[in-house]
């Protein structure tokens, strides 16, 4: 999705539908299309939005998710990317808590 320049602004698991090996993106009103693939910063921010739905005690799984994502995109999940990801993740969780209150 990100390599194709597609971004989901309301990113949560309920906005995806899986059928076999196919994944469908739902909530078309919150989808944006870019003329090229998403840059690293936008991609990592999107990944953090999705990971924010996972609990803090799943840090190992979250790290695996990041590593696999970066591998698919052909990126190294280096310290700089990790720091940026965890910063975005903290901001996503803070924003979700504020909306919940």
């Amino acid at each position: 999705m990100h390599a194709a320049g597609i971004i989901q602004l309301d990113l949560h698991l309920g906005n995806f539908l899986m059928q076999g090996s196919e994944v469908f993106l739902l909530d078309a009103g919150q989808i944006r299309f870019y003329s090229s693939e998403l840059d690293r910063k936008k991609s990592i921010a999107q990944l953090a939005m999705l990971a924010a739905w996972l609990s803090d005690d799943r840090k190992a799984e979250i790290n695996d998710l990041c590593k696999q994502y970066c591998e698919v995109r052909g990126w190294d999940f280096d310290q700089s990317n990790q720091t940026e990801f965890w910063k975005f993740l903290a901001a996503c969780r803070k924003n979700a808590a504020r909306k919940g209150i």
Side-chain angles (χ1 to χ4, degrees):
M1 183 171 101
H2 294 159
I6 302 169
I7 193 169
Q8 169 55 270
L9 300 175
D10 185 22
L11 192 60
H12 58 81
L13 297 177
N15 276 338
F16 295 91
L17 177 66
M18 292 183 67
Q19 181 175 352
S21 64
E22 294 183 297
V23 178
F24 299 92
L25 191 55
L26 306 176
D27 195 4
Q30 296 297 318
I31 298 172
R32 298 293 179 264
F33 298 90
Y34 292 85
S35 59
S36 61
E37 70 180 72
L38 295 182
D39 63 25
R40 192 176 296 234
K41 185 173 183 172
K42 281 183 183 168
S43 298
I44 290 174
Q46 282 269 290
L47 187 59
M49 285 175 65
L50 187 59
W53 291 94
L54 301 172
S55 63
D56 284 334
D57 64 340
R58 307 217 30 212
K59 189 171 183 172
E61 289 94 340
I62 292 170
N63 272 326
D64 287 343
L65 172 68
C66 292
K67 288 177 188 174
Q68 289 175 15
Y69 178 86
C70 287
E71 185 177 304
V72 168
R73 294 295 303 269
W75 302 335
D76 290 326
F77 190 54
D78 59 20
Q79 187 61 44
S80 171
N81 292 332
Q82 291 177 40
T83 301
E84 188 170 29
F85 170 80
W86 289 104
K87 182 179 80 175
F88 279 126
L89 181 61
C92 288
R93 287 183 172 156
K94 183 177 181 180
N95 188 38
R98 187 177 20 199
K99 283 182 179 181
I101 293 171

